[in-house]
Structure formats: C-alpha cells, structure tokens
Amino acid sequence: QVQILQSESELKNPGASVKVSCKASGYTFSDYGLNWVRQAPGQGLEWMGWINTNTGQAIYARGFTGRFVFSLDTPVRTAYLQISSLKTEDTAVYYCARDPKGGYCVGSGCYSFRFDYWGQGSQVTVSS
Amino acid sequence: QSVLTQPPSASGAPGQRVTISCSGSSSNIGSNYVNWYQQLPGTAPKLLIYKNSQRPSGVPDRFSGSRSGTSASLSVSGLRSEDEADYFCAVWDDSLSGGLFGGGTKLTVL
C-alpha cells in the first residue's frame, strides 16, 4: 500500500538550518511528483512547490525561493526539504504529498496538482 | 489573504446539507480543475474531491463538488459529527504558474 513517512519534529534556534525527509513506498516513485505544503499554526495550507522525481528539478512557489531547497535521494525513494537561516515565522507543520503526472507544466515536470497521498507532517519549531 | 476566497466558517445540524464556496478568477477556477481537501483536527489533509466533482475511492457520496464560472462549491449532505473538520479548495493558477489553496472553512456540526 502507498505510504509516505516523514521525519519527526524538530526544534531549532533562529539562524540554524533544518532538513525534513519524506520517504515514499508502495508505488513507482518516478511516476509521481512530490509537493511540499506548509501550514503555520492555526493557519491554512500554502503550496511551496514540487520536485520532479525523474529529473530532480525543483519548482518553488513565490515566497519560497532562496532559503528553501528541495532535493531527492532516488535510490532510497526519499525527498528532502531543507530550510536555511531559520526564522521564527518558519514555525509550521510541513507536509509532503504525492501528485500524479498531469497537464500543469512548469520546467521539466507536468503534474495534476492533485495530492492523493500525504505524509503525516513534520513539525518545525523555531525558537530561541 | 488568499486569492481563493472561502468563508471562514460554516455549520449545520446533523442530517442537514451544508455548502461551502470557493471563489477565484479566470486564471484559476475559471480554467482549471478544482480539488477539495478535508483536514480533521490534528491530522494531514485528505483528498475529498478532484477534477471539480470526482470522488476518490472510499469517499462517501454525501460529499459532492461542482464548478460554475470562477466559483466552485463543496456540498456535504446528511451531516454527521465526524464531518467536523477544515475544508480547503485548491486549484492551479495559470498566471502564477503555481498552485493555490483557499483560506479554508471550518465546518461545525451543531
């Protein structure tokens, strides 16, 4: 069965970095993109972007360029979100979600923007 | 403030029907498929409706979706206590070349 398992909670100081992992199983990894979604405390969902699991190309939404980096380790079917120079406003739950190939194309990837399986979420808390 | 506008709250008594709206523009809802997600307290979102009105396997037919022009709606009939959750619309935006979520609607079953 399809499973997406994320890393555990992290507590970081402002200015530090964090790397969140997202391990997929139960399906052909390269047939689906992986998206990242942020949810700040008590707030809604924000699309951060996606990573093409065939090419490794990452596409970032506005507001998530510079300090945010998506990467892959394809042999272990794992995607990563790294955030550098952490700020208190980065405190949030970060989700990864699977996305079938489809008609919305940016860069080398075309996906459906339809997230049919989600990880359980990774809490990142930034506080001194 | 989100580009996709949802009412912050909605409510209904058990057994009633509730409709949640999502208003956008020609570059998003007006030209692309709308999806809806349900987020139960403390859990990850779950895909509830895709391609405007399609239900994934396992989603009860009490949930239905529709789209008209630059607006979409999610209806829940035969309300049950377990439907208490946050509901988000989501759609691709051609102008942004990126995805959007609505601000979310908290559904309360009275």
Side-chain angles (χ1 to χ4, degrees):
Chain A
Q1 73 282 19
V2 175
Q3 282 193 315
I4 298 179
L5 191 62
Q6 296 186 226
S7 49
E8 296 299 317
S9 301
E10 301 259 17
L11 173 61
K12 295 290 185 180
N13 290 323
S17 295
V18 69
K19 194 169 188 177
V20 175
S21 67
C22 166
K23 184 172 177 60
S25 61
Y27 68 94
T28 301
F29 189 65
S30 58
D31 282 351
Y32 296 81
L34 283 170
N35 288 250
W36 290 96
V37 176
R38 182 172 79 178
Q39 188 169 37
Q43 302 300 307
L45 305 173
E46 287 182 276
W47 182 69
M48 301 174 66
W50 72 38
I51 188 161
N52 183 327
T53 51
N54 285 291
T55 66
Q57 182 184 32
I59 298 297
Y60 300 95
R62 294 181 190 181
F64 293 100
T65 55
R67 298 188 300 115
F68 300 84
V69 176
F70 308 151
S71 61
L72 289 176
D73 187 345
T74 302
V76 294
R77 306 165 59 89
T78 301
Y80 300 94
L81 163 65
Q82 183 159 0
I83 311 172
S84 58
S85 302
L86 282 164
K87 306 175 181 181
T88 54
E89 52 263 42
D90 294 323
T91 294
V93 177
Y94 292 84
Y95 294 101
C96 63
R98 188 183 84 159
D99 189 0
K101 291 180 180 177
Y104 305 126
C105 301
V106 182
S108 63
C110 293
Y111 297 106
S112 298
F113 197 63
R114 178 175 90 235
F115 307 153
D116 59 355
Y117 283 89
W118 294 65
Q120 82 277 21
S122 297
Q123 173 72 52
V124 174
T125 302
V126 184
S127 174
S128 54
Chain B
Q1 188 152 349
S2 178
V3 173
L4 299 180
T5 302
Q6 295 183 236
S9 63
S11 62
Q16 285 189 333
R17 176 185 177 95
V18 168
T19 297
I20 297 169
S21 62
C22 176
S23 178
S25 67
S26 58
S27 65
N28 43 67
I29 294 178
S31 50
N32 296 310
Y33 289 125
V34 179
N35 303 320
W36 290 90
Y37 297 89
Q38 177 193 57
Q39 187 176 32
L40 297 170
T43 69
K46 168 190 166 185
L47 181 64
L48 197 65
I49 296 287
Y50 68 98
K51 288 187 177 180
N52 303 328
S53 60
Q54 303 301 303
R55 282 186 306 277
S57 171
V59 173
D61 59 7
R62 301 186 298 104
F63 294 92
S64 61
S66 64
R67 181 188 71 172
S68 178
T70 58
S71 292
S73 61
L74 170 72
S75 293
V76 187
S77 60
L79 266 179
R80 304 172 70 158
S81 58
E82 57 260 40
D83 298 332
E84 275 208 349
D86 293 321
Y87 293 85
F88 297 90
C89 57
V91 66
W92 186 258
D93 189 291
D94 293 332
S95 295
L96 294 173
S97 288
L100 294 171
F101 285 96
T105 298
K106 183 175 183 61
L107 175 60
T108 301
V109 181
L110 301 170

